[in-house]
Amino acid sequence: MPPEFLSGGIYVPDRPERTPGHHGTFLRKAKAGLPAVQAEKDITDLNQYIMDQKLYVFDTTLRDGEQVPGCQLNTIEKIELAKQLEAMKVDIIECGFPISSPGDFKSIVEISKIVTESTICALSRAVEKDIDVAADALHFARRKRIHTGIGTSDYHIRYKFNSDREEILQRAVAAVKYARKYVEDVEFYAEDAGRTENEYLARVVEAVIKAGATVVNIPDTTGYCLPEEYGAKIRYLFDNVPNIDKAIISTHCHNDLGMATANTLAGVLNGARQVEVTINGVGERAGNTAMEEVVMAIKCRKDIPVKTDILTRHFYKVSHAVSTLMRMPVQPNKAIVGRNAFAHSSGIHQDGVLKNRESYEIIDPVDVGVNDSTIELTARSGRAALNHHFLRLGIHMNKEELDSAYDKFLKLADCKKEINDSDLYIIAGVTQDKLKQRMHLKYLQVVCGKNSIPMATVKLIIDGEECVATSSGNGPVDAAFKAVRSLVHRKITLEEYLVQAITRGTDDVGQVHIQIENKGNIYYGFSANTDIVTASVEAYVNAISKII
Ligand code: KIV
Ligand code: ZN
């Protein structure tokens, strides 16, 4: 649509894709209100314009999401996830904080060479050296963005920087100007904006936009805001920052009070046109805003006047990949991607869904990639059939991986009636992880039961050598873990031990997540098996193998 003045003085700008700022002009003009004589057609055009507005999706799973202690990803894992994020049409992928570690730097370099459609973003503080390193890391990126910023709340200004508002404002401006020397696309974050006084925040936003910021991020760093308050903060900026139409305003909400999705949507409803999110809502403490929740809310609520380009059918698969690679189980009742998200157990609900799915479902599970139909895979299926199903799920295996996965599949098919997509994801994840492991569980026997002393014998292969130990304990898992520890001669503390059934039924696969501590470092282990004691010991061995 060409730029056009509608009667009544409402300016409807054209909608160049990926041009920051145009919505700001629109919102300011529209905010003035429609004159009483406004024709009905104009209102329809206006609504259509609003409906067509693009919301940029900025994924920070690989940066803020990955800050969870013990969930760090290596470069190969980050590349794998970045490819999946690009395939689902994420607009911007924040891949790391390059000055913080050589691993982050390397990941950004490698992802920049491979991902060409999404913009690659690198984080920095408002420090010249950080920005130099970020620019360096982004050297190969086809589309690149530097994300720089500084704390703007009085807590940060006084206690973190021992500074004052004027000095922080100058540092913010200087950082944006410096980053603009390297790249055209510079995003500024006002850390702890959620607790920053609005008047000062508006001054900072105006100044950084003037300095060249194309996107301004308003993080609720501590997850303190309530939705109405966060929405009002964004609205305040649109009302009080004269040059706000020159930049995109972004949300970045943490989930400490369980408000991240609500706050993000409140931000969008008040003019924000970029959302910073992570898959499964992973992130430090209570996590970040979950991408799948925001995108699906926008998709199924027609009264939220924006659209994203996200291919939502990828959600289930990407959620699995993040959960497996980060060793972070998805809670069963997690919105959109939890295993119970579409499970109707009460008779009344089942009856209603059978008569008309929409009686109890607001989202078609197929829209988020949940395929609830049972896959025709049996113990008689061959490698080709298995590989066909892996490929259907977007899992690519080399010959060695497929052979190993096939062995696991046959064992599972022997003791489980239905092999479903979740089982296949588990088989793939465990296989690809195990092949890299230097220590394996070869044999396990446990004796336990009422009025008996639990005993376990384990045989481990450590760098090709077989070693055996037997131990007693207060249960079969305790006994087996003691036996394993006696073979690895390390002080290991079990920090977390979580067993989950994938679907239902006593023949189901149990997945086990384990967190251990050794010399102050945290290591994660994962396994899945129809025998939960075996799964537990395998997960324990998987975690310990990362130490050795
Ligand atoms: O939560 C936060 O404030 C951040 C910034 C570094 C963007 O993650
Ligand atoms: Zn954050």
Side-chain angles (χ1 to χ4, degrees):
M1 178 159 70
E4 181 187 348
F5 282 94
L6 298 175
S7 63
I10 303 264
Y11 174 49
V12 180
D14 65 355
R15 287 162 284 161
E17 284 286 285
R18 299 180 182 275
T19 302
H22 63 272
H23 66 281
T25 307
F26 165 74
L27 285 169
R28 268 194 297 112
K29 305 270 182 190
K31 179 190 73 167
L34 298 172
V37 291
Q38 181 69 53
E40 218 171 272
K41 170 187 170 298
D42 297 344
I43 297 173
T44 315
D45 285 352
L46 199 59
N47 286 341
Q48 189 53 46
Y49 171 68
I50 295 173
M51 292 299 288
D52 284 352
Q53 284 204 64
K54 154 117 176 165
L55 179 71
Y56 291 89
V57 175
F58 174 117
D59 180 274
T60 184
T61 308
L62 305 182
R63 198 280 298 171
D64 218 359
E66 200 240 9
Q67 270 171 227
V68 182
C71 293
Q72 272 73 26
L73 299 164
N74 63 34
T75 300
I76 297 193
E77 291 164 338
K78 278 197 173 188
I79 291 173
E80 170 56 30
L81 291 182
K83 285 198 305 199
Q84 293 202 24
L85 293 170
E86 181 185 41
M88 74 189 296
K89 290 197 179 292
V90 165
D91 298 291
I92 303 107
I93 306 175
E94 187 168 52
C95 303
F97 179 16
I99 193 129
S100 71
S101 78
D104 264 31
F105 183 89
K106 184 169 170 230
S107 298
I108 296 176
V109 171
E110 298 307 325
I111 292 171
S112 296
K113 293 178 191 165
I114 291 169
V115 171
T116 53
E117 288 306 311
S118 311
T119 296
I120 305 300
C121 180
L123 186 80
S124 75
R125 293 166 299 182
V127 170
E128 287 192 358
K129 181 76 190 138
D130 279 33
I131 297 170
D132 293 337
V133 175
D136 222 10
L138 289 168
H139 176 75
F140 294 103
R142 178 162 166 238
R143 303 173 201 269
K144 50 184 100 176
R145 175 181 296 180
I146 293 179
H147 190 188
T148 188
I150 196 160
T152 52
S153 68
D154 288 337
Y155 295 97
H156 282 234
I157 295 175
R158 284 197 201 128
Y159 305 116
K160 188 165 148 186
F161 300 115
N162 190 21
S163 181
D164 59 50
R165 288 184 174 183
E166 293 317 308
E167 191 193 326
I168 293 298
L169 196 136
Q170 280 165 23
R171 282 180 64 180
V173 166
V176 170
K177 285 189 176 160
Y178 192 72
R180 277 298 299 251
K181 290 189 182 151
Y182 285 115
V183 291
E184 284 185 5
D185 191 359
V186 173
E187 174 168 343
F188 175 81
Y189 63 87
E191 196 177 4
D192 205 15
R195 294 187 302 169
T196 300
E197 192 218 346
N198 285 347
E199 212 180 304
Y200 175 63
L201 185 63
R203 281 182 58 212
V204 173
V205 172
E206 183 181 348
V208 295
I209 294 175
K210 197 164 161 227
T214 44
V215 181
V216 183
N217 176 11
I218 310 299
D220 182 21
T221 306
T222 57
Y224 175 73
C225 286
L226 299 180
E228 208 174 307
E229 185 186 3
Y230 188 75
K233 189 175 278 288
I234 301 293
R235 167 64 37 192
Y236 182 92
L237 297 176
F238 277 97
D239 286 346
N240 291 283
V241 175
N243 56 355
I244 201 149
D245 57 313
K246 303 279 188 304
I248 284 179
I249 297 300
S250 182
T251 66
H252 178 114
C253 300
H254 281 265
N255 203 30
D256 299 65
L257 294 175
M259 303 283 172
T261 298
N263 285 350
T264 298
L265 292 175
V268 171
L269 286 168
N270 283 284
R273 287 297 174 265
Q274 177 180 283
V275 287
E276 302 196 4
V277 289
T278 60
I279 296 289
N280 299 340
V282 293
E284 261 183 302
R285 312 187 307 276
N288 288 57
T289 310
M291 186 201 295
E292 61 278 8
E293 293 175 12
V294 172
V295 170
M296 291 316 291
I298 287 167
K299 189 164 177 176
C300 74
R301 295 288 311 215
K302 298 294 174 235
D303 48 355
I304 304 180
V306 291
K307 66 179 174 48
T308 74
D309 288 341
I310 297 297
L311 301 177
T312 60
R313 287 184 183 215
H314 292 228
F315 274 138
Y316 197 57
K317 175 187 161 203
V318 179
S319 161
H320 249 282
V322 167
S323 165
T324 309
L325 292 173
M326 286 190 153
R327 322 267 174 261
M328 288 262 285
V330 176
Q331 75 195 56
N333 59 336
K334 167 80 183 64
I336 316 294
V337 291
R339 92 173 124 80
N340 289 349
F342 300 101
H344 299 277
S345 52
S346 87
I348 296 174
H349 280 208
Q350 284 177 351
D351 183 52
V353 168
L354 287 176
K355 285 180 178 141
N356 178 352
R357 191 185 58 74
E358 284 173 25
S359 352
Y360 283 100
E361 272 180 10
I362 54 167
I363 296 169
D364 184 345
V366 172
D367 273 356
V368 296
V370 174
N371 179 2
D372 50 4
S373 63
T374 306
I375 306 166
E376 287 295 319
L377 272 176
T378 69
R380 282 177 297 284
S381 304
R383 277 179 181 67
L386 182 65
N387 200 30
H388 166 81
H389 284 283
F390 279 143
L391 291 174
R392 180 177 61 74
L393 297 174
I395 300 166
H396 298 264
M397 292 211 168
N398 61 30
K399 188 177 173 313
E400 187 193 10
E401 288 168 340
L402 186 62
D403 285 347
S404 170
Y406 187 64
D407 284 349
K408 290 190 178 56
F409 159 74
L410 286 182
K411 283 190 191 119
L412 187 61
D414 267 348
C415 53
K416 190 168 185 275
K417 285 196 298 284
E418 294 169 357
I419 305 287
N420 57 31
D421 284 0
S422 299
D423 295 320
L424 292 179
Y425 281 121
I426 295 286
I427 291 173
V430 170
T431 302
Q432 289 172 335
D433 204 25
K434 284 241 168 80
L435 286 174
K436 294 178 221 146
Q437 228 171 276
R438 285 172 53 196
M439 183 170 112
H440 295 274
L441 178 68
K442 179 156 188 214
Y443 170 87
L444 169 70
Q445 187 181 45
V446 290
V447 179
C448 63
K450 200 165 176 187
N451 295 329
S452 73
I453 296 173
M455 298 287 296
T457 300
V458 297
K459 190 183 284 178
L460 297 182
I461 309 281
I462 304 177
D463 282 337
E465 299 244 329
E466 243 181 50
C467 28
V468 185
T470 297
S471 185
S472 60
N474 64 13
V477 173
D478 185 47
F481 282 20
K482 277 188 181 147
V484 170
R485 277 201 303 277
S486 73
L487 291 172
V488 296
H489 310 294
R490 277 181 171 78
K491 189 172 173 331
I492 291 156
T493 314
L494 185 64
E495 296 279 328
E496 197 169 299
Y497 169 47
L498 189 73
V499 185
Q500 276 183 310
I502 292 180
T503 46
R504 275 155 283 273
T506 50
D507 69 341
D508 194 11
V509 170
Q511 39 184 347
V512 178
H513 288 83
I514 273 186
Q515 193 181 324
I516 59 170
E517 187 268 339
N518 172 253
K519 294 188 178 162
N521 295 318
I522 298 289
Y523 301 87
Y524 279 73
F526 172 78
S527 190
N529 200 300
T530 49
D531 174 341
I532 56 168
V533 179
T534 302
S536 304
V537 182
E538 282 178 343
Y540 196 51
V541 170
N542 180 231
I544 296 173
S545 71
K546 289 169 190 159
I547 309 174
I548 66 168

PDB file of all heavy atoms in Angstrom, residues 60 63-64 219 221 252 254 288, ligand 2:
ATOM      1  N   THR A  60      16.429 -15.732  22.164  1.00  0.00           N
ATOM      2  CA  THR A  60      17.675 -15.653  22.952  1.00  0.00           C
ATOM      3  C   THR A  60      17.940 -16.942  23.733  1.00  0.00           C
ATOM      4  O   THR A  60      18.643 -16.941  24.748  1.00  0.00           O
ATOM      5  CB  THR A  60      17.696 -14.366  23.826  1.00  0.00           C
ATOM      6  OG1 THR A  60      18.955 -14.280  24.500  1.00  0.00           O
ATOM      7  CG2 THR A  60      16.558 -14.331  24.848  1.00  0.00           C
ATOM      8  N   ARG A  63      21.582 -17.474  24.214  1.00  0.00           N
ATOM      9  CA  ARG A  63      22.316 -16.500  25.035  1.00  0.00           C
ATOM     10  C   ARG A  63      21.702 -16.428  26.438  1.00  0.00           C
ATOM     11  O   ARG A  63      22.194 -17.039  27.371  1.00  0.00           O
ATOM     12  CB  ARG A  63      22.329 -15.134  24.329  1.00  0.00           C
ATOM     13  CG  ARG A  63      23.385 -14.164  24.830  1.00  0.00           C
ATOM     14  CD  ARG A  63      23.028 -13.432  26.112  1.00  0.00           C
ATOM     15  NE  ARG A  63      21.853 -12.590  25.986  1.00  0.00           N
ATOM     16  CZ  ARG A  63      21.263 -12.003  27.025  1.00  0.00           C
ATOM     17  NH1 ARG A  63      21.749 -12.156  28.245  1.00  0.00           N
ATOM     18  NH2 ARG A  63      20.177 -11.272  26.858  1.00  0.00           N
ATOM     19  N   ASP A  64      20.545 -15.787  26.587  1.00  0.00           N
ATOM     20  CA  ASP A  64      19.963 -15.661  27.926  1.00  0.00           C
ATOM     21  C   ASP A  64      19.475 -17.029  28.402  1.00  0.00           C
ATOM     22  O   ASP A  64      19.621 -17.379  29.580  1.00  0.00           O
ATOM     23  CB  ASP A  64      18.783 -14.681  27.876  1.00  0.00           C
ATOM     24  CG  ASP A  64      18.704 -13.792  29.108  1.00  0.00           C
ATOM     25  OD1 ASP A  64      19.558 -13.963  29.988  1.00  0.00           O
ATOM     26  OD2 ASP A  64      17.805 -12.945  29.201  1.00  0.00           O
ATOM     27  N   PRO A 219      13.955  -4.335  29.030  1.00  0.00           N
ATOM     28  CA  PRO A 219      13.894  -5.598  29.780  1.00  0.00           C
ATOM     29  C   PRO A 219      13.301  -5.437  31.183  1.00  0.00           C
ATOM     30  O   PRO A 219      13.625  -4.492  31.896  1.00  0.00           O
ATOM     31  CB  PRO A 219      15.362  -6.029  29.904  1.00  0.00           C
ATOM     32  CG  PRO A 219      16.147  -5.115  29.040  1.00  0.00           C
ATOM     33  CD  PRO A 219      15.343  -3.854  28.895  1.00  0.00           C
ATOM     34  N   THR A 221      14.193  -7.158  33.754  1.00  0.00           N
ATOM     35  CA  THR A 221      15.297  -8.063  34.074  1.00  0.00           C
ATOM     36  C   THR A 221      15.009  -8.948  35.282  1.00  0.00           C
ATOM     37  O   THR A 221      15.412 -10.107  35.334  1.00  0.00           O
ATOM     38  CB  THR A 221      16.568  -7.215  34.334  1.00  0.00           C
ATOM     39  OG1 THR A 221      16.757  -6.373  33.203  1.00  0.00           O
ATOM     40  CG2 THR A 221      17.799  -8.057  34.570  1.00  0.00           C
ATOM     41  N   HIS A 252      11.390  -7.755  26.738  1.00  0.00           N
ATOM     42  CA  HIS A 252      12.335  -8.801  27.177  1.00  0.00           C
ATOM     43  C   HIS A 252      11.939  -9.082  28.632  1.00  0.00           C
ATOM     44  O   HIS A 252      12.376  -8.377  29.546  1.00  0.00           O
ATOM     45  CB  HIS A 252      13.768  -8.284  27.065  1.00  0.00           C
ATOM     46  CG  HIS A 252      14.807  -9.261  27.530  1.00  0.00           C
ATOM     47  ND1 HIS A 252      15.732  -9.840  26.679  1.00  0.00           N
ATOM     48  CD2 HIS A 252      15.072  -9.782  28.764  1.00  0.00           C
ATOM     49  CE1 HIS A 252      16.513 -10.654  27.360  1.00  0.00           C
ATOM     50  NE2 HIS A 252      16.139 -10.632  28.646  1.00  0.00           N
ATOM     51  N   HIS A 254      11.310 -11.423  32.082  1.00  0.00           N
ATOM     52  CA  HIS A 254      11.684 -12.619  32.851  1.00  0.00           C
ATOM     53  C   HIS A 254      10.478 -13.074  33.664  1.00  0.00           C
ATOM     54  O   HIS A 254       9.535 -12.314  33.907  1.00  0.00           O
ATOM     55  CB  HIS A 254      12.915 -12.323  33.708  1.00  0.00           C
ATOM     56  CG  HIS A 254      14.174 -12.378  32.881  1.00  0.00           C
ATOM     57  ND1 HIS A 254      14.946 -13.502  32.789  1.00  0.00           N
ATOM     58  CD2 HIS A 254      14.753 -11.457  32.070  1.00  0.00           C
ATOM     59  CE1 HIS A 254      15.979 -13.272  31.972  1.00  0.00           C
ATOM     60  NE2 HIS A 254      15.877 -12.030  31.517  1.00  0.00           N
ATOM     61  N   ASN A 288      12.923 -17.111  30.939  1.00  0.00           N
ATOM     62  CA  ASN A 288      12.509 -15.992  30.083  1.00  0.00           C
ATOM     63  C   ASN A 288      11.081 -16.248  29.573  1.00  0.00           C
ATOM     64  O   ASN A 288      10.465 -17.247  29.929  1.00  0.00           O
ATOM     65  CB  ASN A 288      13.455 -15.902  28.869  1.00  0.00           C
ATOM     66  CG  ASN A 288      14.827 -15.389  29.229  1.00  0.00           C
ATOM     67  OD1 ASN A 288      15.509 -15.951  30.074  1.00  0.00           O
ATOM     68  ND2 ASN A 288      15.255 -14.332  28.599  1.00  0.00           N
TER      69      ASN A 288
HETATM   70 ZN    ZN B   2      17.392 -11.345  30.244  1.00  0.00          ZN
END
